[in-house]
């Protein structure tokens, strides 16, 4: 056989793109719905300027101002009558004080955890994994409720503008969740500038409404609304504030108002998205977000207090829509402005719901990586999103919408409990961190974080009591069950990992003195012959075929066919009685008897004939897996199933493959305007460095070349062999292997890296290689 390095031998070629299996029908459907699969190397962190980060990360938080004040009034009006509007402002002031304290606490979180600092990470690092699961469950429930409540509130804004759509409320909410899920499965980037627009649009519209409202208030033209309209929440009789019932109602109203603070943790979760210095920019953005939220909550509460904006039993029209309509009036500009406010409210609520499609799957990824959730939640899908986490979030949101009939009031009962549990654990976690490290103004940090944690804990207790009958009981029952489930999953993973870990006496995989191979046969056909051929390639000491007799006539036919066949003339056939027809037991007995000596290792080959789907399962039994399962539990015994596709032969079809890049044969290449080189040109020194990068398909054998491409494969020599490193790089035209002698690794080199290399082009096994090139890692 001619060698590439001899004169007249075939010229070596560069590596060409591999063939791929033809796409299945299911994959074609997925690609049609979701688009082409994204390359994992395109997964880059997008750094955000503060103005974009504010718009993107603050949408969930700022959108809470659209319904926080309304939820306070829903609790107060039936108990205190119109006095509820007077109580609204002090209640809002308390919420704003808590907002300030929690903001200062999360400022400390950002300073310490400069990459990601959610309550789960803080609790895990400071209290350990068990307490962290409480934070994980609380945050996961919070995110699921956020999808439901933001979608429901956004649809309520639409219905407030177009009341005739009220009968379509539930289908509209479900449609919103489905569209958000579909968009995120397609890989819609949360960091896109388009997602910043709803936040600024909503802020601008509300500031215009507030400015007009203040002008009308000062010149005495701001109207008050009627409080006895049909459909409005029932107005109760005024009563004292110091009775037990009154205090209970006040606490429930306060718990409702706490929903305005949801989303505060978004900045600390996304610190790594900011431009450098990350923690400085994140800290400033946090203060701006909290300031805007406080202003919006205060403005909505103050104008609701002034105009007597009544919440309605059906949820529409909303309080914020009544404020806008009363202030801007019914003129042309007023009608336009009212529609704009409702549009802005709807967009920011939907954008807030979309934020959780990034946070929830990421949280599930953290928890699953730690081993407390199924590992499937760590895998990225077709478009590089955590698809399983997205589907889990959507399923939970849809369930809550159907369970509560899309009522924002009922959804709030599930809401703030998870939020403030996260605030509580983050506050106490940062308190412990400050006490352990005692850096800088640590006493101040201890005070702020302990205060935030204590207040959040009090709110969690209040919420659990006053909202217990409205749905909080469900969270209080489910949360402990989920925490125990997470811990049980972790225990199972630990047990499995311990079973698979390499023990000290197993670190050296020594060879067994005697390796025998047996092939279980049920007939003599091409599948059996293929298994025998594979068995020979294992170079066993003894090769045998075994048939378990459950039908004497069939066994006799197999024995005659075996004796007459040239294909298996060198393999002995052993017939073993199986009187009870339990093949798995007989196979197990055979394996135990064969490996009685400690120096024997046995490989059992089980030919498995794969037939067409339903009809194949109906006409043929599948015993290979049943036999392999118990055998795999024996030491020094390996059961290998050798598949054979019968359906491919019966249907006369072959696997269809295609080449991503069509490679023309060498004989078809035509040189345009060939130029004869002179002797002096042919004798050009080959040691000169190449100035420009050459396409890999154009490099020439025995010439120097500078190539650049993406690393697709790294192969290092085993520890017992001479140190070598083989790196395969590809560009859009082909691939080439780089061989580094005398080393086993290159610092910073990993699969997916961009590498530029220069050296002499040689060959190995007919393919071009570059030996010991100079190289440069590209960032």
């Amino acid at each position: 056989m001619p060698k590439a390095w001899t004169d007249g031998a075939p010229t070596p070629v560069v590596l060409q793109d591999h063939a791929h299996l033809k796409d299945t029908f299911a994959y074609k459907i997925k690609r049609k719905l979701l688009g082409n699969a994204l390359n994992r190397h395109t997964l880059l962190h997008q750094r955000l300027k503060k103005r974009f980060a504010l718009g993107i990360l603050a949408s969930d938080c700022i959108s809470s101002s659209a319904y926080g004040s309304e939820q306070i009034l829903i609790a107060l009006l039936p108990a205190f009558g119109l006095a509820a509007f007077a109580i609204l402002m002090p209640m809002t002031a308390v919420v704003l004080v808590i907002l300030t304290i929690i903001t200062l606490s999360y400022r400390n979180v950002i300073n310490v955890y400069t990459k990601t600092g959610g309550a789960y990470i803080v609790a895990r690092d400071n209290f350990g994994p068990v307490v962290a699961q409480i934070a994980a469950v609380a945050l996961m429930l919070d995110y699921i409720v956020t999808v439901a409540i933001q979608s429901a509130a956004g649809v309520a804004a639409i219905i407030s503008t177009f009341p005739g759509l009220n009968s379509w409320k539930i289908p509209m909410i479900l449609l919103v969740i489905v569209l958000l899920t579909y968009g995120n499965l397609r890989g819609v980037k949360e960091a896109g500038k388009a997602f910043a627009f709803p936040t600024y649009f909503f802020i601008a519209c509300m500031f215009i409404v507030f400015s007009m409202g203040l002008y009308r208030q000062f010149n005495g033209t701001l109207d008050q609304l009627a409080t006895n309209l049909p459909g409005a929440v029932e107005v109760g009789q005024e009563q004292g504030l110091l009775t037990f019932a009154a205090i209970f109602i006040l606490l429930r109203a306060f718990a409702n108002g706490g929903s305005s603070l949801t989303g505060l943790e978004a900045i600390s979760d996304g610190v790594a998205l900011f431009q450098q210095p990350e923690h400085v920019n994140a800290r400033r953005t946090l203060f701006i977000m909290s300031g805007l939220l406080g202003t919006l909550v205060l403005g909505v509460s103050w104008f609701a207090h002034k105009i007597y904006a009544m919440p309605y039993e059906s949820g529409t029209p909303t309080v914020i829509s009544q404020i806008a309509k009363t202030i801007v009036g019914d003129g042309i500009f007023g009608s336009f402005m009212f529609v704009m406010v409702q549009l802005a409210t709807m967009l920011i609520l939907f954008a807030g719901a979309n934020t959780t499609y990034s946070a929830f799957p990421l949280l599930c990824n953290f928890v699953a990586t730690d081993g407390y959730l199924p590992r499937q939640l760590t895998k990225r899908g077709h478009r590089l999103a955590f698809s399983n986490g997205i589907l889990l979030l959507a399923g939970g949101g849809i369930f809550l919408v159907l369970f509560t009939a899309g009522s924002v009031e009922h959804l709030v009962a599930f809401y703030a409990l998870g939020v403030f549990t996260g605030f509580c654990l983050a506050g106490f976690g940062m308190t412990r961190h400050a006490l352990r490290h005692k850096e800088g103004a640590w006493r101040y940090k201890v005070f702020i974080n302990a205060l935030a944690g204590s207040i959040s804990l009090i709110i969690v207790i209040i919420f659990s009591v006053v909202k217990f009958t409205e749905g909080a009981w469900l969270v209080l029952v489910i949360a402990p069950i989920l925490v125990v489930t997470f811990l049980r999953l972790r225990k199972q993973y630990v047990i499995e990992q311990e079973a698979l870990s390499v023990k000290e006496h197993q670190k050296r995989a020594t060879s067994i003195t005697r390796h025998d191979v047996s092939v279980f046969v049920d007939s003599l056909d091409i599948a059996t012959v293929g298994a025998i051929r594979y068995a020979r390639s294992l170079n066993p000491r003894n090769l045998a075929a075994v048939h378990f007799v459950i039908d004497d006539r069939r066994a006799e036919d197999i024995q005659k066919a075996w004796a007459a066949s040239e294909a298996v003339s060198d393999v002995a056939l052993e017939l073993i009685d199986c009187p009870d027809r339990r093949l798995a037991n007989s196979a197990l007995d055979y394996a135990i008897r064969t490996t009685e000596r400690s120096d024997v290792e046995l490989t059992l080959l089980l030919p498995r004939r794969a037939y067409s789907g339903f009809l194949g399962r109906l006409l043929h039994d599948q015993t290979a897996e049943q036999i392999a399962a118990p055998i795999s539990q024996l030491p020094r015994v390996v059961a290998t199933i050798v598949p054979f596709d019968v359906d491919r032969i019966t249907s006369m079809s072959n696997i269809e493959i295609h080449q991503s890049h069509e490679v023309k044969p060498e004989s078809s290449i035509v040189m345009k305007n060939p130029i004869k080189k002179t002797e002096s040109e042919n004798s050009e020194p080959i040691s000169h460095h190449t100035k420009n990068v050459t396409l890999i398909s154009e490099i020439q054998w025995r010439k120097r070349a500078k190539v650049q491409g993406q690393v697709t494969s790294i192969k290092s020599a085993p520890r017992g062999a001479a140190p070598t490193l083989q790196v395969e790089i590809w560009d859009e035209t082909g691939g080439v292997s780089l061989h580094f002698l005398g080393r086993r690794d290159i610092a910073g080199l990993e699969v997916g890296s961009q590498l530029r290399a220069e050296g002499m082009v040689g060959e190995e096994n007919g393919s071009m290689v570059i030996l010991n090139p100079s190289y440069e890692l590209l960032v």
Side-chain angles (χ1 to χ4, degrees):
M1 181 177 179
K3 301 292 185 181
W5 46 265
T6 62
D7 293 334
T11 303
V13 296
V14 299
L15 302 173
Q16 297 297 337
D17 200 0
H18 305 291
H20 301 282
L21 290 174
K22 184 179 178 181
D23 293 342
T24 63
F25 177 73
Y27 186 82
K28 289 179 180 178
I29 296 295
K30 178 191 286 187
R31 194 174 61 184
K32 190 73 174 176
L33 291 174
L34 303 181
N36 291 325
L38 294 180
N39 190 313
R40 70 180 183 88
H41 299 298
T42 63
L43 186 64
L44 301 175
H45 291 292
Q46 181 179 358
R47 298 286 179 164
L48 299 175
K49 296 180 179 179
K50 291 192 292 293
R51 61 177 179 272
F52 291 127
L54 176 64
I56 294 163
L57 300 176
S59 57
D60 180 20
C61 182
I62 289 179
S63 64
S64 302
S65 64
Y67 50 80
S69 302
E70 180 172 350
Q71 294 304 311
I72 295 177
L73 288 174
I74 288 175
L76 293 178
L77 280 168
F80 298 102
L82 296 181
F85 290 104
I87 303 172
L88 176 61
M89 292 311 296
M91 190 76 69
T92 301
V94 173
V95 171
L96 296 181
V97 170
I98 296 173
L99 167 65
T100 304
I101 295 171
I102 294 177
T103 299
L104 293 175
S105 176
Y106 269 94
R107 175 183 180 273
N108 294 329
V109 174
I110 291 171
N111 285 335
V112 174
Y113 295 90
T114 57
K115 296 303 179 185
T116 180
Y120 177 76
I121 303 297
V122 175
R124 185 189 65 187
D125 290 355
N126 294 283
F127 295 120
V130 176
V131 177
Q133 301 322 303
I134 300 175
V137 169
L139 290 173
M140 290 172 66
L141 293 176
D142 169 45
Y143 290 139
I144 292 174
V145 176
T146 297
V147 169
I149 196 170
Q150 299 279 54
S151 301
V155 169
I158 298 175
I159 296 175
S160 295
T161 311
F162 306 102
L165 296 175
N166 189 58
S167 60
W168 293 89
K169 177 181 176 180
I170 299 297
M172 289 170 67
I173 298 173
L174 297 181
L175 178 62
V176 169
I177 295 177
V178 169
L179 291 177
L180 289 175
T181 303
Y182 175 68
N184 282 275
L185 287 175
R186 283 187 60 91
V188 174
K189 297 290 186 181
E190 184 191 29
K193 296 180 182 179
F195 284 94
F197 170 75
T199 301
Y200 289 109
F201 184 40
F202 177 75
I203 293 171
C205 288
M206 292 310 299
F207 278 12
I208 291 173
V209 169
F210 290 167
S211 299
M212 294 178 64
L214 289 173
Y215 173 77
R216 294 190 61 180
Q217 171 65 20
F218 291 141
N219 67 14
T221 60
L222 186 63
D223 299 328
Q224 278 191 351
L225 300 178
T227 59
N228 57 351
L229 296 176
V233 171
E234 181 184 355
V235 179
Q237 298 296 320
E238 297 184 13
Q239 59 174 300
L241 300 178
L242 298 180
T243 64
F244 177 81
I247 293 174
F248 183 84
I249 296 298
L250 290 173
L251 291 176
R252 188 169 67 177
F254 170 70
N256 281 4
S259 62
S260 299
L261 305 185
T262 56
L264 269 178
E265 74 284 353
I267 300 292
S268 67
D269 289 340
V271 176
L273 297 175
F274 285 83
Q275 290 182 337
Q276 295 181 341
E278 294 96 337
H279 68 285
V280 175
N281 290 326
R283 193 171 59 217
R284 292 172 180 170
T285 306
L286 174 66
F287 283 136
I288 295 172
M289 180 184 73
S290 297
L292 288 172
L293 174 62
T295 303
L296 291 170
V297 170
L298 180 62
V300 172
S301 293
W302 191 77
F303 281 107
H305 153 73
K306 285 295 181 181
I307 69 171
Y308 283 11
M310 296 287 296
Y312 280 71
E313 296 282 358
S314 64
T316 56
T318 59
V319 166
I320 197 171
S321 68
Q322 295 177 62
I323 292 172
K325 193 166 189 65
T326 302
I327 290 175
V328 299
D330 296 325
I332 296 178
F333 174 77
S335 299
F336 171 78
M337 195 63 212
F338 173 71
V339 173
M340 289 298 100
V341 170
Q342 294 304 99
L343 176 63
T345 304
M346 176 197 72
L347 289 177
I348 195 172
L349 287 166
F350 292 160
N354 183 75
T355 303
T356 61
Y357 279 92
S358 174
F360 180 88
L362 192 60
L363 173 64
C364 289
N365 172 55
F366 288 148
V367 180
T369 301
D370 291 340
Y372 293 93
L373 278 176
R375 294 282 165 78
Q376 290 87 333
L377 292 170
T378 65
K379 300 184 184 301
R380 293 186 180 272
H382 187 72
R383 300 283 290 182
L384 295 181
F386 293 109
S387 303
N388 293 326
I390 290 174
L391 294 174
L392 180 62
L393 174 65
I398 290 173
F399 170 78
L400 278 181
V401 168
L402 296 176
F403 184 75
T404 62
S407 168
V408 175
E409 178 187 359
H410 293 153
L411 285 167
V412 166
F414 301 97
Y415 203 13
L417 192 57
V419 177
F420 281 97
T421 301
F423 291 164
C424 174
L425 292 174
F428 287 136
M430 292 308 299
T431 302
R432 185 168 187 180
H433 181 276
L435 287 172
R436 286 194 300 182
H437 293 82
K438 297 185 178 180
E439 298 173 349
W442 64 272
R443 290 185 177 85
Y444 164 76
K445 295 176 183 177
V446 168
F447 173 75
I448 288 295
N449 291 316
L451 182 61
S454 300
I455 291 175
S456 300
L457 178 61
I458 293 171
I459 294 174
V460 168
I461 295 171
I462 292 173
F463 201 94
S464 302
V465 174
V466 301
K467 290 288 185 179
F468 185 83
T469 58
E470 297 179 25
W473 66 269
L474 190 60
V475 177
L476 295 173
V477 170
I478 290 177
I481 295 174
L482 290 177
V483 170
V484 172
T485 303
F486 287 9
L487 296 176
R488 181 64 184 85
L489 286 174
R490 172 62 178 171
K491 183 179 179 181
Q492 181 64 28
Y493 275 129
V494 170
I495 293 173
E496 293 171 355
Q497 188 174 1
E498 179 65 23
L500 293 173
S501 63
V502 180
K503 309 300 188 294
E504 187 65 31
H505 66 280
Q506 298 170 328
K507 287 188 176 179
R508 178 63 178 166
T510 55
S511 299
I512 300 294
T513 304
R514 177 176 169 178
H515 178 213
D516 296 339
V517 176
S518 296
V519 182
F520 289 172
V521 299
D522 187 45
S523 62
L524 181 57
D525 55 16
I526 191 171
T528 302
V529 171
I532 294 290
R533 186 185 301 118
Y534 172 64
R536 292 192 187 104
S537 69
L538 299 177
N539 296 321
R541 179 171 175 174
N542 290 324
L543 172 59
V546 177
H547 173 69
F548 296 105
V549 180
I550 58 177
D551 185 330
D552 292 326
R553 181 171 294 182
R554 181 177 179 84
E556 184 179 350
D557 292 341
I558 292 175
Q559 192 172 25
K560 289 179 180 179
W562 200 272
S565 175
E566 292 291 335
V568 293
S569 59
D570 60 331
V571 181
L573 174 64
E574 182 178 359
L575 302 179
I576 299 178
D577 189 23
C578 183
D580 60 358
R581 297 170 303 286
R582 299 175 67 187
L583 293 176
N585 277 5
S586 298
L588 193 64
D589 291 339
Y590 172 81
I592 293 173
R593 283 188 286 105
T594 308
T595 57
E596 284 179 342
R597 292 178 53 182
S598 60
D599 62 342
V600 175
E601 184 179 69
L602 176 65
T603 296
L604 297 176
L605 301 183
L606 293 82
R608 182 182 65 183
R609 298 154 186 85
Y611 300 93
S612 60
F614 173 75
L615 189 60
R617 290 191 295 272
L618 182 66
L619 299 180
H620 305 277
D621 59 352
Q622 303 291 325
T623 57
E625 288 84 357
Q626 299 172 14
I627 296 174
I631 289 175
S632 63
Q633 301 174 25
L634 297 176
R636 295 178 287 109
V637 180
V638 176
T640 302
I641 294 176
V642 184
F644 188 83
D645 191 353
V646 179
D647 183 51
R648 179 175 60 85
I649 297 177
T650 57
S651 61
M652 303 295 290
S653 63
N654 292 316
I655 297 175
E656 295 186 30
I657 57 177
H658 67 276
Q659 292 279 359
S660 294
H661 296 288
E662 187 176 336
V663 181
K664 296 182 179 180
E666 215 175 312
S667 60
S668 66
I669 298 176
V670 179
M671 298 292 294
K672 293 186 178 180
N673 301 323
I675 300 175
K676 287 188 177 180
K677 290 190 176 182
T678 63
E679 185 67 27
S680 61
E681 289 174 319
N682 286 328
S683 60
E684 178 184 3
I686 61 175
S687 60
H688 287 174
H689 290 280
T690 305
K691 293 182 179 179
N692 298 320
V693 173
T694 305
L695 293 175
I696 291 179
S697 65
E698 297 177 0
I699 62 176
Q700 299 179 33
W701 183 32
R702 298 175 178 171
K703 298 284 186 181
R704 289 191 69 84
K706 180 188 288 186
V707 295
Q708 178 178 324
Q710 187 175 66
V711 176
T712 61
S713 171
I714 301 174
K715 181 181 179 181
S716 181
R719 189 173 63 178
T724 59
L725 182 68
Q726 297 179 21
V727 179
E728 197 174 291
I729 67 170
W730 286 72
D731 64 11
E732 65 274 11
T733 64
V736 66
S737 184
L738 313 177
H739 289 197
F740 298 89
L741 304 182
R743 65 194 311 172
R744 287 192 172 87
D745 59 17
I746 294 177
L749 181 69
E750 57 187 23
V751 174
S753 302
Q754 287 288 328
L755 182 71
R756 183 180 295 152
E758 180 181 359
M760 181 65 67
V761 181
E763 74 83 33
E764 183 181 48
N765 298 326
S767 297
M768 292 190 187
V769 300
I770 301 178
L771 186 64
N772 274 343
S774 58
Y775 66 91
E776 178 185 359
L777 286 173
L778 305 177
V779 179

